[in-house]
Amino acid sequence: MKLLINGTWHSNYVDSGDLQAERNRIRNQYFRNWITADGSSGYKAAPGRYHLYVSYACPYAHRTILIRKLKQLENVISMSVLNPDWGYLQGWVFGDWAEATIDDVNGHDYLYQIYQQAKPDFTGKVTVPVLWDKQENTIVNYESAEIMRMLATEFNAFSDGSLDFYPPALQVEIDQLNTFIGDRINDGVYRAGFASTQEAYDTATDALFDALDNLEHRLTHQPYLIGDRLTEADLRLFTTLVRFDIAYYTALRCNVRRLSDYPNLWNYTRRIYQLPGVAETVKFDHIKRHYFDTYEGVINRRIIPKGPVVDFGLVPKVTAIAA
Ligand SMILES: N[C@@H](CCC(=O)N[C@@H](CS)C(=O)NCC(=O)O)C(=O)O
């Protein structure tokens, strides 16, 4: 496991569970600040003040890239892109890949140095996305769901305020969908792919495909998860679905069915992909590089995949060999 412990970088730490509780505690305690339109939180929405560190490979970072694009915040919030290959001893590194960048805000080579700069004794994983405050020289937040919500709601003075992906009347339903999709699908593909036992893989895969079946049914008579309106829940689902056949089906053995075997989910994913600006945020070369070249040693190759489900039956049934 790659992580910082008391500010020191470890590239191959074996966590036997001793650090888990501490890491969870820290995850909720630090870097969970909110930018607000009026500045009452201490972090005021302002053009040029904030910076995003992302990877085009990561579905969680993709949420924030997507909302920045759709809300037309590209000139308001700057962005650095990490190399998609996470196999380096240093974890996430800057540059040296098409459309990856250097860190032109803090001048670092590795993402863990951003965390060290913000909190020299930080303990925990070094994940993307990260929202950086150039004024206070610190990490504002590193939870994609929270960054996404802030960008969508607090920057309306500088962005396309007419687009509301979290409208008050739909918030209860969006929250319910986010919980379901987050657990069963966004995290579910990783739970399946990184399972260390057959049983854990089987359970995660069943839960994942049950959830996809459920959403396939939901989309029978409507273009988006909540009727005609594109919401935050759709964007969070999209970043996993757009990776599904390209990466998760093979690299993470989520292979009972392809996404393209689901007529409604497939049309839905293509519908969102074709919305103005969305395709520019999807970089399939980064996605492939990340999932196929990075996780050697993390994925247990001895687990037997559940799929693909193949029907060798012929209709009408052939009963004799014609030779
Ligand atoms: N809960 C976090 C998860 C982000 C996350 O897991 N990012 C992955 C890339 S897809 C990462 O940076 N992993 C590095 C690691 O596990 O050490 C969020 O939603 O922002």
Side-chain angles (χ1 to χ4, degrees), residues 27-301:
R27 183 117 207 140
N28 294 326
Q29 192 174 348
Y30 298 105
F31 309 149
R32 301 296 291 276
N33 299 301
W34 279 84
I35 298 171
T36 51
D38 64 4
S40 54
S41 62
Y43 295 89
K44 188 172 171 35
R49 176 169 169 178
Y50 300 99
H51 186 79
L52 264 179
Y53 288 107
V54 298
S55 159
Y56 281 126
C58 167
Y60 304 103
H62 191 178
R63 297 170 171 181
T64 65
I65 301 169
L66 196 49
I67 206 83
R68 173 176 176 265
K69 172 66 96 177
L70 295 179
K71 291 290 284 188
Q72 297 177 14
L73 285 168
E74 284 164 299
N75 294 323
V76 175
I77 297 169
S78 48
M79 186 169 96
S80 298
V81 178
L82 288 136
N83 186 314
D85 187 347
W86 189 69
Y88 295 93
L89 288 178
Q90 298 89 351
W92 290 113
V93 308
F94 288 99
D96 200 24
W97 185 271
E99 294 189 273
T101 68
I102 57 163
D103 172 16
D104 53 4
V105 171
N106 291 300
H108 292 307
D109 296 321
Y110 313 120
L111 186 66
Y112 78 75
Q113 295 170 316
I114 305 285
Y115 282 68
Q116 286 173 326
Q117 184 178 336
K119 185 164 165 40
D121 63 348
F122 182 76
T123 293
K125 286 191 171 192
V126 169
T127 55
V128 283
V130 170
L131 183 59
W132 180 262
D133 181 354
K134 296 182 209 171
Q135 184 177 305
E136 297 298 322
N137 271 313
T138 194
I139 295 173
V140 182
N141 201 301
Y142 67 151
E143 272 299 335
S144 59
E146 295 177 5
I147 298 172
M148 188 184 188
R149 183 74 57 76
M150 281 179 236
L151 267 48
T153 59
E154 303 301 325
F155 285 82
N156 283 338
F158 320 103
S159 68
D160 185 350
S162 68
L163 286 177
D164 185 355
F165 297 109
Y166 193 60
L170 303 181
Q171 287 176 3
V172 172
E173 204 173 349
I174 293 172
D175 289 345
Q176 285 167 352
L177 278 163
N178 283 345
T179 304
F180 176 74
I181 291 165
D183 179 52
R184 304 276 289 271
I185 299 179
N186 302 138
D187 295 347
V189 292
Y190 285 99
R191 211 174 290 129
F194 294 167
S196 56
T197 65
Q198 185 73 46
E199 193 187 359
Y201 164 81
D202 289 345
T203 305
T205 306
D206 286 346
L208 168 65
F209 281 91
D210 276 357
L212 291 175
D213 293 347
N214 175 308
L215 297 181
E216 172 71 6
H217 180 68
R218 187 180 182 107
L219 290 169
T220 308
H221 298 299
Q222 56 191 44
Y224 299 115
L225 292 172
I226 307 180
D228 291 334
R229 192 157 176 173
L230 182 75
T231 69
E232 184 188 282
D234 295 297
L235 301 178
R236 287 171 57 149
L237 177 59
F238 172 77
T239 65
T240 293
L241 296 189
V242 78
R243 287 163 173 73
F244 205 89
D245 287 3
I246 302 291
Y248 300 151
Y249 182 89
T250 35
L252 301 186
R253 277 175 303 210
C254 298
N255 69 349
V256 176
R257 282 177 284 285
R258 297 170 307 175
L259 187 70
S260 47
D261 294 325
Y262 286 101
N264 299 330
L265 278 169
W266 183 231
N267 279 339
Y268 164 85
T269 306
R270 291 190 294 181
R271 186 177 301 126
I272 297 177
Y273 184 85
Q274 288 173 27
L275 293 174
V278 172
E280 291 159 52
T281 70
V282 184
K283 309 283 182 194
F284 289 116
D285 53 341
H286 284 236
I287 294 170
K288 277 190 165 173
R289 175 69 182 206
H290 180 75
Y291 287 101
F292 288 95
D293 202 43
T294 286
Y295 292 111
E296 206 51 55
V298 177
I299 295 177
N300 178 354
R301 296 280 166 205

